Amino acid sequence: MIYCLFLIYEPVNLEKSLLRLHRFLTSSGTKAKILVINNGEQIHSSSLNNIEFIPGDNRYFEFSGWQAGKQYLEKNYTLQDGDLFCFANDTYDKNHYFSRLTAWLYNLKSKQAAKRQRGFILGRVDSRNTEYKVDKLPLSKWISSYFFVLDYTAFQALVFLNTRLCSAVKEVTDESIYFDQTVVDTPMQEHINSWLRPTGKGWYRAHSSDNDVIRNKSVAILHEKYLSAVLMARNIEFIHVYSGRIGRIVHKFDKRVQRFRLRYRKPS
């Protein structure tokens, strides 16, 4: 069985996103259950089978929502070795192009990993030559949290929330973000500032965003990094979905299609 925890706010094409998820999850003949975690204010529904909607928790954005979904899954379903888990948010096919080739890569590599070992997470892995520390845990790579797949061993090791990270941002100005240095080391502070307070174009043009928005994005980035740091500390293997020659070709194809889509996207 593969369980998908799909976190939504106000997706424009929910039914389309769910249909693509369902096709991906069941394409290899595996039974699937999609748990839709609603972190928005609207009430949503779907005509598809095997879909369940539950209220989320938006106190700390998708991470508190996923924590609520994980707890619900553990309480209401009988989970076991051999199960796979997919986590996605509603940007997986909006801000990224999730092609059939990418879906095929995820299915192929998750099957290979499940046969080879226990304890893996599969997704887009970003690596650096720098070692960072978040709440004293080191990391030099992390999984992009918009879409990832993991086995039951890694699922049990997941930690979505850390209260120290929620209060780690001490001040945000138009020029910089200041952190609690006992929680966020200097390299990680510089990394987040380079994204959210850049001298040039930054993440989602964040250099022009409201300071409260920047604070929230900083906390979200810290939680994404901490999630990976915890898994690394517990010896979970990270598998980059776009690794290898075929993976690089698929990634290049997806990026080109996404650039085309953005260029000709109709204004909402």
Side-chain angles (χ1 to χ4, degrees):
M1 173 72 82
I2 181 166
Y3 298 91
C4 180
L5 285 79
F6 182 42
L7 188 136
I8 64 172
Y9 285 92
E10 297 178 2
V12 176
N13 297 310
L14 176 59
E15 198 75 359
K16 179 181 177 182
S17 295
L18 286 172
L19 183 60
R20 294 184 69 177
L21 268 179
H22 179 76
R23 286 175 177 169
F24 157 69
L25 296 168
T26 60
S27 61
S28 61
T30 305
K31 292 183 179 180
K33 176 72 177 183
I34 299 178
L35 191 67
V36 182
I37 306 165
N38 187 8
N39 260 26
E41 297 180 355
Q42 296 181 3
I43 297 175
H44 302 281
S45 62
S46 173
S47 60
L48 298 173
N49 295 325
N50 298 324
I51 309 290
E52 183 175 358
F53 288 79
I54 68 166
D57 180 348
N58 198 36
R59 289 175 300 166
Y60 301 112
F61 328 111
E62 65 228 68
F63 297 95
S64 51
W66 276 330
Q67 178 69 15
K70 182 175 184 286
Q71 291 173 342
Y72 181 90
L73 202 60
E74 291 171 327
K75 180 179 179 181
N76 293 279
Y77 290 85
T78 303
L79 310 178
Q80 56 190 355
D81 280 338
D83 289 336
L84 293 176
F85 303 85
C86 171
F87 286 80
N89 64 36
D90 55 20
T91 68
Y92 88 93
D93 65 348
K94 178 181 178 183
N95 294 342
H96 312 270
Y97 181 63
F98 197 86
S99 68
R100 290 179 182 269
L101 290 172
T102 293
W104 172 78
L105 272 179
Y106 270 99
N107 276 310
L108 174 66
K109 294 197 173 186
S110 60
K111 282 183 178 179
Q112 291 174 340
K115 290 179 180 179
R116 189 171 63 245
Q117 68 195 55
R118 289 185 178 181
F120 72 87
I121 183 167
L122 167 67
R124 180 172 175 175
V125 179
D126 290 312
S127 301
R128 298 291 189 273
N129 292 325
T130 304
E131 182 180 86
Y132 306 95
K133 286 187 178 180
V134 178
D135 201 11
K136 301 180 180 179
L137 287 181
L139 73 157
S140 57
K141 59 185 176 183
W142 55 85
I143 204 86
S144 293
S145 59
Y146 71 90
F147 194 96
F148 58 91
V149 175
L150 65 172
D151 69 349
Y152 185 51
T153 299
F155 175 84
Q156 292 176 299
L158 283 174
V159 177
F160 283 112
L161 292 179
N162 179 332
T163 55
R164 283 167 59 81
L165 303 183
C166 299
S167 58
V169 180
K170 293 304 180 184
E171 184 183 4
V172 178
T173 70
D174 292 341
E175 292 76 33
S176 188
I177 310 160
Y178 299 93
F179 298 86
D180 182 344
Q181 295 188 8
T182 66
V183 180
V184 187
D185 74 346
T186 298
M188 180 54 68
Q189 293 182 44
E190 292 174 349
H191 171 76
I192 296 177
N193 269 281
S194 71
W195 275 74
L196 301 182
R197 279 293 181 251
T199 54
K201 184 178 179 180
W203 188 35
Y204 298 118
R205 299 180 180 177
H207 60 291
S208 61
S209 295
D210 178 87
N211 286 349
D212 286 337
V213 173
I214 294 299
R215 179 184 295 273
N216 292 341
K217 288 184 182 295
S218 300
V219 172
I221 292 173
L222 286 173
H223 276 93
E224 180 181 59
K225 302 300 186 288
Y226 184 74
L227 182 150
S228 291
V230 169
L231 294 179
M232 289 178 64
R234 298 182 181 181
N235 297 315
I236 301 301
E237 181 183 357
F238 283 61
I239 303 172
H240 182 33
V241 69
Y242 293 119
S243 64
R245 183 172 179 270
I246 295 177
R248 290 191 294 271
I249 292 172
V250 173
H251 189 214
K252 185 179 294 185
F253 170 78
D254 283 3
K255 288 180 69 175
R256 286 183 176 178
V257 174
Q258 180 63 5
R259 283 196 295 266
F260 178 84
R261 290 172 66 187
L262 291 172
R263 183 179 303 170
Y264 296 101
R265 177 181 290 175
K266 294 180 180 180
S268 55

